[in-house]
Amino acid sequence: MMIREHKHAARFHPARHNDRTKVVAKALGLSSMENISLMQAANSGLSWAAITRFLDCTGLSQQDLAHYLGIHALTFALRRKAGIFGKRESEQLLRLAELYQATLHLFGGDTDSARAWFTSPVRGLGSACPIDMARNEFGAREVQDLIGRLNNGIFS
């Protein structure tokens, strides 16, 4: 009689999100960080109240955000006065928010650790800061890939 060795197939275990890792979506007034929700928010423009809540939850300053968005301080002040960001700025900020939320998940909801990692040089990104890499789509993909590798225990 032959005894078969049972090999279990790999099982997918979706990442568990707790309330601490959903803080970014809540800050932006979104029900989720799913693509449809992000597209709608980008198309309608983010309100200044949502921007303020995002800054509060990330610890970024208004100057940091203006620099990330690549807009002059005066333009940033005009957006604040108008109470809404345009489609381009909203889309960029949502890209940043997506990455920050993934970073927050990577650090188990620890905002201090997530913020420190996100704004510091990272070896896996060639010693660039994730927030700086995320200024364009290609850099954002690199940051997302690195976060995915780290979430899966792959040393980078």
Side-chain angles (χ1 to χ4, degrees), residues 57-118:
C57 85
T58 61
L60 296 173
S61 69
Q62 291 182 21
Q63 293 80 11
D64 292 335
L65 185 59
H67 175 73
Y68 167 76
L69 295 173
I71 58 177
H72 190 274
L74 182 58
T75 304
F76 191 85
L78 290 171
R79 298 290 188 270
R80 181 176 58 230
K81 186 176 180 181
I84 193 162
F85 270 33
K87 182 179 178 178
R88 185 186 69 80
E89 291 99 356
S90 294
E91 189 172 329
Q92 281 184 279
L93 191 135
L94 289 166
R95 178 176 58 220
L96 180 69
E98 235 181 345
L99 291 173
Y100 186 77
Q101 183 154 309
T103 302
L104 196 55
H105 176 70
L106 176 66
F107 287 93
D110 181 345
T111 55
D112 292 334
S113 296
R115 186 179 306 121
W117 185 85
F118 203 63

Tab-separated table of all heavy atoms in Angstrom, residues 57-118:
chain	number	residue	atom	x	y	z
A	57	CYS	N	-4.038	63.313	9.599
A	57	CYS	CA	-3.790	61.879	9.814
A	57	CYS	C	-2.399	61.461	9.365
A	57	CYS	O	-1.852	60.487	9.876
A	57	CYS	CB	-4.877	61.017	9.190
A	57	CYS	SG	-4.688	60.619	7.465
A	58	THR	N	-1.789	62.205	8.433
A	58	THR	CA	-0.455	61.841	7.967
A	58	THR	C	0.650	62.585	8.707
A	58	THR	O	1.792	62.136	8.720
A	58	THR	CB	-0.279	62.132	6.465
A	58	THR	OG1	-0.466	63.541	6.242
A	58	THR	CG2	-1.236	61.323	5.622
A	59	GLY	N	0.313	63.727	9.279
A	59	GLY	CA	1.327	64.537	9.936
A	59	GLY	C	2.121	65.393	8.968
A	59	GLY	O	3.084	66.044	9.351
A	60	LEU	N	1.718	65.390	7.705
A	60	LEU	CA	2.391	66.240	6.713
A	60	LEU	C	1.942	67.686	6.901
A	60	LEU	O	0.819	67.949	7.338
A	60	LEU	CB	2.040	65.785	5.295
A	60	LEU	CG	2.503	64.399	4.881
A	60	LEU	CD1	1.917	64.035	3.518
A	60	LEU	CD2	4.018	64.317	4.857
A	61	SER	N	2.813	68.607	6.541
A	61	SER	CA	2.446	70.023	6.612
A	61	SER	C	1.854	70.461	5.271
A	61	SER	O	1.984	69.763	4.263
A	61	SER	CB	3.686	70.865	6.922
A	61	SER	OG	4.572	70.849	5.817
A	62	GLN	N	1.245	71.630	5.270
A	62	GLN	CA	0.722	72.170	4.022
A	62	GLN	C	1.856	72.413	3.031
A	62	GLN	O	1.699	72.185	1.830
A	62	GLN	CB	-0.046	73.470	4.283
A	62	GLN	CG	-1.345	73.248	5.030
A	62	GLN	CD	-2.114	74.535	5.243
A	62	GLN	OE1	-1.923	75.516	4.542
A	62	GLN	NE2	-3.006	74.531	6.225
A	63	GLN	N	3.015	72.832	3.539
A	63	GLN	CA	4.170	73.059	2.670
A	63	GLN	C	4.650	71.746	2.059
A	63	GLN	O	5.021	71.707	0.881
A	63	GLN	CB	5.322	73.719	3.459
A	63	GLN	CG	5.034	75.132	3.916
A	63	GLN	CD	4.171	75.190	5.190
A	63	GLN	OE1	3.950	74.188	5.865
A	63	GLN	NE2	3.684	76.374	5.499
A	64	ASP	N	4.659	70.663	2.870
A	64	ASP	CA	5.045	69.344	2.349
A	64	ASP	C	4.114	68.929	1.213
A	64	ASP	O	4.564	68.438	0.179
A	64	ASP	CB	4.975	68.267	3.439
A	64	ASP	CG	6.012	68.428	4.529
A	64	ASP	OD1	7.070	69.038	4.271
A	64	ASP	OD2	5.743	67.930	5.650
A	65	LEU	N	2.827	69.129	1.432
A	65	LEU	CA	1.852	68.721	0.426
A	65	LEU	C	1.986	69.566	-0.842
A	65	LEU	O	1.947	69.024	-1.950
A	65	LEU	CB	0.429	68.794	0.986
A	65	LEU	CG	-0.658	68.281	0.056
A	65	LEU	CD1	-0.423	66.811	-0.315
A	65	LEU	CD2	-2.024	68.448	0.702
A	66	ALA	N	2.164	70.862	-0.689
A	66	ALA	CA	2.342	71.730	-1.859
A	66	ALA	C	3.577	71.293	-2.652
A	66	ALA	O	3.543	71.222	-3.881
A	66	ALA	CB	2.457	73.185	-1.428
A	67	HIS	N	4.654	70.983	-1.945
A	67	HIS	CA	5.874	70.511	-2.609
A	67	HIS	C	5.606	69.192	-3.334
A	67	HIS	O	6.011	69.018	-4.484
A	67	HIS	CB	6.998	70.340	-1.588
A	67	HIS	CG	8.238	69.741	-2.172
A	67	HIS	ND1	9.078	70.444	-3.012
A	67	HIS	CD2	8.767	68.502	-2.064
A	67	HIS	CE1	10.061	69.662	-3.384
A	67	HIS	NE2	9.900	68.472	-2.824
A	68	TYR	N	4.942	68.259	-2.668
A	68	TYR	CA	4.633	66.971	-3.292
A	68	TYR	C	3.796	67.173	-4.554
A	68	TYR	O	4.039	66.553	-5.577
A	68	TYR	CB	3.895	66.046	-2.307
A	68	TYR	CG	3.290	64.866	-3.013
A	68	TYR	CD1	4.081	63.803	-3.427
A	68	TYR	CD2	1.945	64.829	-3.330
A	68	TYR	CE1	3.548	62.736	-4.117
A	68	TYR	CE2	1.394	63.765	-4.015
A	68	TYR	CZ	2.200	62.717	-4.405
A	68	TYR	OH	1.668	61.671	-5.102
A	69	LEU	N	2.801	68.048	-4.467
A	69	LEU	CA	1.916	68.280	-5.609
A	69	LEU	C	2.591	69.106	-6.707
A	69	LEU	O	2.082	69.197	-7.825
A	69	LEU	CB	0.634	68.980	-5.155
A	69	LEU	CG	-0.275	68.191	-4.220
A	69	LEU	CD1	-1.423	69.063	-3.724
A	69	LEU	CD2	-0.807	66.948	-4.902
A	70	GLY	N	3.721	69.696	-6.383
A	70	GLY	CA	4.438	70.492	-7.368
A	70	GLY	C	3.746	71.803	-7.676
A	70	GLY	O	3.823	72.304	-8.802
A	71	ILE	N	3.070	72.370	-6.686
A	71	ILE	CA	2.408	73.658	-6.906
A	71	ILE	C	3.013	74.711	-5.978
A	71	ILE	O	3.441	74.421	-4.866
A	71	ILE	CB	0.872	73.576	-6.733
A	71	ILE	CG1	0.475	73.083	-5.350
A	71	ILE	CG2	0.258	72.703	-7.792
A	71	ILE	CD1	-1.021	73.060	-5.112
A	72	HIS	N	3.040	75.912	-6.459
A	72	HIS	CA	3.590	77.050	-5.720
A	72	HIS	C	2.714	77.318	-4.490
A	72	HIS	O	1.510	77.044	-4.494
A	72	HIS	CB	3.623	78.278	-6.645
A	72	HIS	CG	4.380	79.422	-6.089
A	72	HIS	ND1	3.814	80.347	-5.261
A	72	HIS	CD2	5.678	79.776	-6.242
A	72	HIS	CE1	4.723	81.234	-4.923
A	72	HIS	NE2	5.862	80.917	-5.508
A	73	ALA	N	3.323	77.875	-3.459
A	73	ALA	CA	2.605	78.168	-2.212
A	73	ALA	C	1.404	79.081	-2.466
A	73	ALA	O	0.348	78.916	-1.837
A	73	ALA	CB	3.549	78.800	-1.192
A	74	LEU	N	1.535	80.035	-3.387
A	74	LEU	CA	0.426	80.937	-3.698
A	74	LEU	C	-0.735	80.179	-4.334
A	74	LEU	O	-1.901	80.394	-3.982
A	74	LEU	CB	0.900	82.064	-4.621
A	74	LEU	CG	-0.147	83.117	-4.996
A	74	LEU	CD1	-0.714	83.783	-3.750
A	74	LEU	CD2	0.470	84.149	-5.918
A	75	THR	N	-0.425	79.282	-5.253
A	75	THR	CA	-1.465	78.452	-5.877
A	75	THR	C	-2.138	77.583	-4.828
A	75	THR	O	-3.364	77.433	-4.824
A	75	THR	CB	-0.857	77.569	-6.989
A	75	THR	OG1	-0.193	78.413	-7.922
A	75	THR	CG2	-1.914	76.752	-7.693
A	76	PHE	N	-1.337	77.035	-3.927
A	76	PHE	CA	-1.883	76.214	-2.845
A	76	PHE	C	-2.843	77.054	-1.994
A	76	PHE	O	-3.937	76.594	-1.650
A	76	PHE	CB	-0.739	75.655	-1.995
A	76	PHE	CG	-1.160	74.598	-1.029
A	76	PHE	CD1	-1.263	73.267	-1.427
A	76	PHE	CD2	-1.446	74.908	0.289
A	76	PHE	CE1	-1.642	72.277	-0.542
A	76	PHE	CE2	-1.826	73.930	1.184
A	76	PHE	CZ	-1.924	72.613	0.766
A	77	ALA	N	-2.457	78.282	-1.689
A	77	ALA	CA	-3.308	79.180	-0.894
A	77	ALA	C	-4.610	79.495	-1.632
A	77	ALA	O	-5.682	79.575	-1.011
A	77	ALA	CB	-2.552	80.456	-0.560
A	78	LEU	N	-4.519	79.652	-2.963
A	78	LEU	CA	-5.730	79.902	-3.752
A	78	LEU	C	-6.676	78.702	-3.715
A	78	LEU	O	-7.898	78.866	-3.641
A	78	LEU	CB	-5.370	80.247	-5.196
A	78	LEU	CG	-4.696	81.606	-5.416
A	78	LEU	CD1	-4.206	81.734	-6.850
A	78	LEU	CD2	-5.667	82.732	-5.059
A	79	ARG	N	-6.109	77.488	-3.772
A	79	ARG	CA	-6.937	76.275	-3.687
A	79	ARG	C	-7.621	76.210	-2.313
A	79	ARG	O	-8.778	75.844	-2.196
A	79	ARG	CB	-6.096	75.011	-3.896
A	79	ARG	CG	-5.424	74.893	-5.225
A	79	ARG	CD	-6.413	74.633	-6.355
A	79	ARG	NE	-5.732	74.343	-7.586
A	79	ARG	CZ	-5.369	75.261	-8.478
A	79	ARG	NH1	-5.609	76.525	-8.261
A	79	ARG	NH2	-4.760	74.907	-9.592
A	80	ARG	N	-6.859	76.558	-1.272
A	80	ARG	CA	-7.423	76.556	0.086
A	80	ARG	C	-8.568	77.560	0.178
A	80	ARG	O	-9.621	77.264	0.719
A	80	ARG	CB	-6.319	76.881	1.101
A	80	ARG	CG	-6.792	76.872	2.533
A	80	ARG	CD	-5.666	77.105	3.538
A	80	ARG	NE	-5.000	78.374	3.284
A	80	ARG	CZ	-3.688	78.522	3.179
A	80	ARG	NH1	-2.876	77.489	3.321
A	80	ARG	NH2	-3.167	79.705	2.949
A	81	LYS	N	-8.377	78.750	-0.388
A	81	LYS	CA	-9.415	79.787	-0.361
A	81	LYS	C	-10.654	79.354	-1.141
A	81	LYS	O	-11.783	79.594	-0.712
A	81	LYS	CB	-8.862	81.095	-0.919
A	81	LYS	CG	-9.811	82.252	-0.810
A	81	LYS	CD	-9.177	83.541	-1.292
A	81	LYS	CE	-10.185	84.674	-1.161
A	81	LYS	NZ	-9.637	85.937	-1.640
A	82	ALA	N	-10.426	78.693	-2.281
A	82	ALA	CA	-11.551	78.211	-3.095
A	82	ALA	C	-12.286	77.070	-2.394
A	82	ALA	O	-13.460	76.821	-2.674
A	82	ALA	CB	-11.058	77.756	-4.463
A	83	GLY	N	-11.586	76.359	-1.510
A	83	GLY	CA	-12.215	75.274	-0.765
A	83	GLY	C	-12.213	73.935	-1.480
A	83	GLY	O	-12.806	72.973	-0.999
A	84	ILE	N	-11.566	73.880	-2.640
A	84	ILE	CA	-11.553	72.619	-3.389
A	84	ILE	C	-10.288	72.546	-4.243
A	84	ILE	O	-9.788	73.564	-4.719
A	84	ILE	CB	-12.818	72.477	-4.264
A	84	ILE	CG1	-12.968	71.058	-4.781
A	84	ILE	CG2	-12.837	73.501	-5.376
A	84	ILE	CD1	-14.362	70.739	-5.268
A	85	PHE	N	-9.786	71.349	-4.402
A	85	PHE	CA	-8.634	71.111	-5.274
A	85	PHE	C	-9.142	70.705	-6.642
A	85	PHE	O	-10.190	70.088	-6.772
A	85	PHE	CB	-7.762	69.984	-4.708
A	85	PHE	CG	-6.682	70.453	-3.770
A	85	PHE	CD1	-6.861	71.542	-2.942
A	85	PHE	CD2	-5.484	69.796	-3.725
A	85	PHE	CE1	-5.861	71.973	-2.084
A	85	PHE	CE2	-4.470	70.203	-2.872
A	85	PHE	CZ	-4.658	71.303	-2.056
A	86	GLY	N	-8.370	71.014	-7.662
A	86	GLY	CA	-8.704	70.624	-9.022
A	86	GLY	C	-8.518	69.130	-9.226
A	86	GLY	O	-7.993	68.419	-8.365
A	87	LYS	N	-8.911	68.690	-10.402
A	87	LYS	CA	-8.838	67.264	-10.722
A	87	LYS	C	-7.407	66.740	-10.667
A	87	LYS	O	-7.145	65.688	-10.098
A	87	LYS	CB	-9.438	67.025	-12.110
A	87	LYS	CG	-9.451	65.579	-12.525
A	87	LYS	CD	-10.076	65.398	-13.892
A	87	LYS	CE	-10.015	63.942	-14.295
A	87	LYS	NZ	-10.642	63.703	-15.583
A	88	ARG	N	-6.451	67.472	-11.250
A	88	ARG	CA	-5.063	67.016	-11.274
A	88	ARG	C	-4.484	66.903	-9.869
A	88	ARG	O	-3.904	65.885	-9.509
A	88	ARG	CB	-4.204	67.961	-12.108
A	88	ARG	CG	-2.762	67.471	-12.268
A	88	ARG	CD	-1.859	68.473	-12.966
A	88	ARG	NE	-1.583	69.661	-12.169
A	88	ARG	CZ	-0.673	69.710	-11.178
A	88	ARG	NH1	0.031	68.650	-10.886
A	88	ARG	NH2	-0.459	70.822	-10.515
A	89	GLU	N	-4.673	67.953	-9.054
A	89	GLU	CA	-4.149	67.917	-7.690
A	89	GLU	C	-4.838	66.838	-6.860
A	89	GLU	O	-4.205	66.156	-6.057
A	89	GLU	CB	-4.305	69.269	-6.990
A	89	GLU	CG	-3.428	70.353	-7.533
A	89	GLU	CD	-4.165	71.265	-8.501
A	89	GLU	OE1	-5.347	71.006	-8.798
A	89	GLU	OE2	-3.544	72.238	-8.973
A	90	SER	N	-6.141	66.678	-7.070
A	90	SER	CA	-6.891	65.654	-6.333
A	90	SER	C	-6.393	64.269	-6.684
A	90	SER	O	-6.210	63.414	-5.810
A	90	SER	CB	-8.391	65.766	-6.629
A	90	SER	OG	-8.908	66.982	-6.133
A	91	GLU	N	-6.152	64.040	-7.975
A	91	GLU	CA	-5.661	62.736	-8.406
A	91	GLU	C	-4.281	62.440	-7.811
A	91	GLU	O	-4.017	61.338	-7.333
A	91	GLU	CB	-5.607	62.681	-9.930
A	91	GLU	CG	-5.328	61.307	-10.470
A	91	GLU	CD	-5.483	61.251	-11.985
A	91	GLU	OE1	-6.312	61.989	-12.538
A	91	GLU	OE2	-4.757	60.447	-12.589
A	92	GLN	N	-3.411	63.433	-7.808
A	92	GLN	CA	-2.081	63.256	-7.217
A	92	GLN	C	-2.179	62.976	-5.722
A	92	GLN	O	-1.479	62.117	-5.196
A	92	GLN	CB	-1.223	64.497	-7.440
A	92	GLN	CG	-0.630	64.604	-8.811
A	92	GLN	CD	0.266	65.808	-8.890
A	92	GLN	OE1	-0.201	66.930	-9.073
A	92	GLN	NE2	1.550	65.579	-8.741
A	93	LEU	N	-3.030	63.729	-5.046
A	93	LEU	CA	-3.173	63.527	-3.610
A	93	LEU	C	-3.758	62.149	-3.303
A	93	LEU	O	-3.341	61.488	-2.346
A	93	LEU	CB	-4.048	64.609	-2.988
A	93	LEU	CG	-4.005	64.598	-1.475
A	93	LEU	CD1	-3.845	65.994	-0.937
A	93	LEU	CD2	-5.221	63.942	-0.907
A	94	LEU	N	-4.680	61.693	-4.123
A	94	LEU	CA	-5.261	60.367	-3.924
A	94	LEU	C	-4.226	59.267	-4.154
A	94	LEU	O	-4.238	58.243	-3.478
A	94	LEU	CB	-6.493	60.179	-4.812
A	94	LEU	CG	-7.699	61.007	-4.376
A	94	LEU	CD1	-8.751	61.035	-5.473
A	94	LEU	CD2	-8.289	60.488	-3.073
A	95	ARG	N	-3.306	59.484	-5.107
A	95	ARG	CA	-2.217	58.535	-5.306
A	95	ARG	C	-1.351	58.470	-4.050
A	95	ARG	O	-0.992	57.400	-3.569
A	95	ARG	CB	-1.373	58.929	-6.521
A	95	ARG	CG	-0.180	58.000	-6.744
A	95	ARG	CD	0.609	58.307	-8.002
A	95	ARG	NE	1.102	59.660	-8.010
A	95	ARG	CZ	1.123	60.444	-9.093
A	95	ARG	NH1	0.673	60.014	-10.245
A	95	ARG	NH2	1.605	61.667	-9.027
A	96	LEU	N	-1.051	59.635	-3.503
A	96	LEU	CA	-0.279	59.702	-2.259
A	96	LEU	C	-1.037	59.023	-1.119
A	96	LEU	O	-0.456	58.273	-0.338
A	96	LEU	CB	0.016	61.162	-1.914
A	96	LEU	CG	0.823	61.413	-0.645
A	96	LEU	CD1	2.257	60.922	-0.840
A	96	LEU	CD2	0.816	62.894	-0.306
A	97	ALA	N	-2.326	59.275	-1.045
A	97	ALA	CA	-3.154	58.684	0.015
A	97	ALA	C	-3.189	57.168	-0.080
A	97	ALA	O	-3.123	56.467	0.939
A	97	ALA	CB	-4.575	59.249	-0.061
A	98	GLU	N	-3.285	56.659	-1.295
A	98	GLU	CA	-3.273	55.208	-1.510
A	98	GLU	C	-1.982	54.590	-0.978
A	98	GLU	O	-1.993	53.571	-0.288
A	98	GLU	CB	-3.369	54.931	-3.014
A	98	GLU	CG	-4.469	54.043	-3.412
A	98	GLU	CD	-4.457	53.799	-4.924
A	98	GLU	OE1	-3.806	54.501	-5.711
A	98	GLU	OE2	-5.145	52.845	-5.294
A	99	LEU	N	-0.875	55.217	-1.308
A	99	LEU	CA	0.420	54.706	-0.857
A	99	LEU	C	0.588	54.849	0.649
A	99	LEU	O	1.123	53.962	1.308
A	99	LEU	CB	1.561	55.429	-1.583
A	99	LEU	CG	1.684	55.103	-3.053
A	99	LEU	CD1	2.721	56.007	-3.715
A	99	LEU	CD2	2.021	53.637	-3.266
A	100	TYR	N	0.112	55.959	1.186
A	100	TYR	CA	0.236	56.135	2.638
A	100	TYR	C	-0.618	55.104	3.370
A	100	TYR	O	-0.199	54.551	4.382
A	100	TYR	CB	-0.147	57.557	3.064
A	100	TYR	CG	0.119	57.764	4.528
A	100	TYR	CD1	1.419	57.980	4.983
A	100	TYR	CD2	-0.900	57.701	5.468
A	100	TYR	CE1	1.694	58.127	6.335
A	100	TYR	CE2	-0.635	57.850	6.818
A	100	TYR	CZ	0.659	58.057	7.241
A	100	TYR	OH	0.926	58.200	8.576
A	101	GLN	N	-1.804	54.830	2.857
A	101	GLN	CA	-2.648	53.824	3.497
A	101	GLN	C	-1.991	52.446	3.434
A	101	GLN	O	-2.026	51.689	4.396
A	101	GLN	CB	-4.046	53.779	2.876
A	101	GLN	CG	-4.950	52.769	3.592
A	101	GLN	CD	-6.397	53.113	3.474
A	101	GLN	OE1	-6.795	54.227	3.745
A	101	GLN	NE2	-7.198	52.138	3.083
A	102	ALA	N	-1.362	52.118	2.301
A	102	ALA	CA	-0.645	50.840	2.186
A	102	ALA	C	0.526	50.802	3.170
A	102	ALA	O	0.802	49.764	3.787
A	102	ALA	CB	-0.148	50.640	0.754
A	103	THR	N	1.201	51.935	3.336
A	103	THR	CA	2.300	52.018	4.300
A	103	THR	C	1.785	51.835	5.715
A	103	THR	O	2.381	51.122	6.528
A	103	THR	CB	3.016	53.386	4.171
A	103	THR	OG1	3.498	53.533	2.838
A	103	THR	CG2	4.169	53.494	5.153
A	104	LEU	N	0.666	52.452	6.007
A	104	LEU	CA	0.055	52.324	7.333
A	104	LEU	C	-0.307	50.866	7.609
A	104	LEU	O	-0.084	50.348	8.709
A	104	LEU	CB	-1.182	53.212	7.398
A	104	LEU	CG	-1.761	53.542	8.755
A	104	LEU	CD1	-0.728	54.170	9.674
A	104	LEU	CD2	-2.942	54.489	8.594
A	105	HIS	N	-0.814	50.181	6.590
A	105	HIS	CA	-1.135	48.756	6.730
A	105	HIS	C	0.135	47.946	6.968
A	105	HIS	O	0.157	47.042	7.809
A	105	HIS	CB	-1.863	48.260	5.487
A	105	HIS	CG	-2.151	46.795	5.517
A	105	HIS	ND1	-3.077	46.240	6.360
A	105	HIS	CD2	-1.603	45.779	4.825
A	105	HIS	CE1	-3.085	44.928	6.178
A	105	HIS	NE2	-2.204	44.623	5.263
A	106	LEU	N	1.207	48.279	6.233
A	106	LEU	CA	2.487	47.597	6.392
A	106	LEU	C	2.978	47.675	7.833
A	106	LEU	O	3.517	46.713	8.365
A	106	LEU	CB	3.528	48.211	5.448
A	106	LEU	CG	4.964	47.691	5.541
A	106	LEU	CD1	5.029	46.232	5.096
A	106	LEU	CD2	5.884	48.557	4.694
A	107	PHE	N	2.752	48.799	8.471
A	107	PHE	CA	3.202	49.003	9.844
A	107	PHE	C	2.105	48.732	10.876
A	107	PHE	O	2.189	49.182	12.011
A	107	PHE	CB	3.776	50.415	10.011
A	107	PHE	CG	5.114	50.564	9.361
A	107	PHE	CD1	5.223	51.032	8.064
A	107	PHE	CD2	6.266	50.190	10.031
A	107	PHE	CE1	6.463	51.147	7.452
A	107	PHE	CE2	7.506	50.293	9.433
A	107	PHE	CZ	7.603	50.768	8.136
A	108	GLY	N	1.095	47.975	10.486
A	108	GLY	CA	0.060	47.545	11.414
A	108	GLY	C	-0.723	48.678	12.048
A	108	GLY	O	-1.218	48.554	13.169
A	109	GLY	N	-0.842	49.789	11.341
A	109	GLY	CA	-1.607	50.916	11.861
A	109	GLY	C	-0.801	51.873	12.715
A	109	GLY	O	-1.336	52.859	13.212
A	110	ASP	N	0.477	51.614	12.897
A	110	ASP	CA	1.349	52.483	13.694
A	110	ASP	C	1.679	53.731	12.875
A	110	ASP	O	2.540	53.708	12.014
A	110	ASP	CB	2.616	51.730	14.090
A	110	ASP	CG	3.570	52.543	14.943
A	110	ASP	OD1	3.424	53.782	15.013
A	110	ASP	OD2	4.473	51.930	15.546
A	111	THR	N	0.980	54.828	13.160
A	111	THR	CA	1.118	56.038	12.358
A	111	THR	C	2.513	56.653	12.446
A	111	THR	O	3.028	57.150	11.442
A	111	THR	CB	0.070	57.098	12.742
A	111	THR	OG1	0.162	57.345	14.138
A	111	THR	CG2	-1.334	56.632	12.405
A	112	ASP	N	3.126	56.608	13.617
A	112	ASP	CA	4.464	57.187	13.751
A	112	ASP	C	5.481	56.441	12.887
A	112	ASP	O	6.290	57.058	12.188
A	112	ASP	CB	4.921	57.185	15.214
A	112	ASP	CG	4.116	58.152	16.074
A	112	ASP	OD1	3.587	59.144	15.526
A	112	ASP	OD2	4.012	57.910	17.285
A	113	SER	N	5.438	55.112	12.926
A	113	SER	CA	6.362	54.309	12.115
A	113	SER	C	6.083	54.485	10.627
A	113	SER	O	7.011	54.606	9.824
A	113	SER	CB	6.261	52.831	12.487
A	113	SER	OG	6.680	52.638	13.820
A	114	ALA	N	4.810	54.509	10.255
A	114	ALA	CA	4.437	54.683	8.852
A	114	ALA	C	4.916	56.035	8.339
A	114	ALA	O	5.502	56.130	7.252
A	114	ALA	CB	2.926	54.546	8.679
A	115	ARG	N	4.686	57.078	9.110
A	115	ARG	CA	5.094	58.423	8.715
A	115	ARG	C	6.619	58.509	8.581
A	115	ARG	O	7.132	59.071	7.618
A	115	ARG	CB	4.594	59.439	9.739
A	115	ARG	CG	4.841	60.869	9.366
A	115	ARG	CD	4.297	61.840	10.418
A	115	ARG	NE	2.892	61.608	10.695
A	115	ARG	CZ	2.409	61.295	11.907
A	115	ARG	NH1	3.202	61.185	12.940
A	115	ARG	NH2	1.119	61.102	12.074
A	116	ALA	N	7.326	57.927	9.549
A	116	ALA	CA	8.796	57.966	9.509
A	116	ALA	C	9.322	57.247	8.267
A	116	ALA	O	10.208	57.757	7.573
A	116	ALA	CB	9.368	57.343	10.782
A	117	TRP	N	8.791	56.066	7.961
A	117	TRP	CA	9.242	55.303	6.802
A	117	TRP	C	8.917	56.045	5.508
A	117	TRP	O	9.732	56.124	4.596
A	117	TRP	CB	8.589	53.919	6.795
A	117	TRP	CG	9.078	53.023	5.697
A	117	TRP	CD1	10.181	52.227	5.714
A	117	TRP	CD2	8.474	52.835	4.407
A	117	TRP	NE1	10.301	51.552	4.523
A	117	TRP	CE2	9.271	51.903	3.702
A	117	TRP	CE3	7.341	53.356	3.792
A	117	TRP	CZ2	8.968	51.486	2.415
A	117	TRP	CZ3	7.039	52.948	2.492
A	117	TRP	CH2	7.847	52.019	1.823
A	118	PHE	N	7.719	56.613	5.446
A	118	PHE	CA	7.223	57.252	4.231
A	118	PHE	C	8.018	58.502	3.869
A	118	PHE	O	8.112	58.868	2.707
A	118	PHE	CB	5.743	57.602	4.421
A	118	PHE	CG	4.970	57.761	3.157
A	118	PHE	CD1	4.805	56.704	2.284
A	118	PHE	CD2	4.380	58.967	2.841
A	118	PHE	CE1	4.074	56.844	1.110
A	118	PHE	CE2	3.646	59.123	1.676
A	118	PHE	CZ	3.496	58.061	0.811
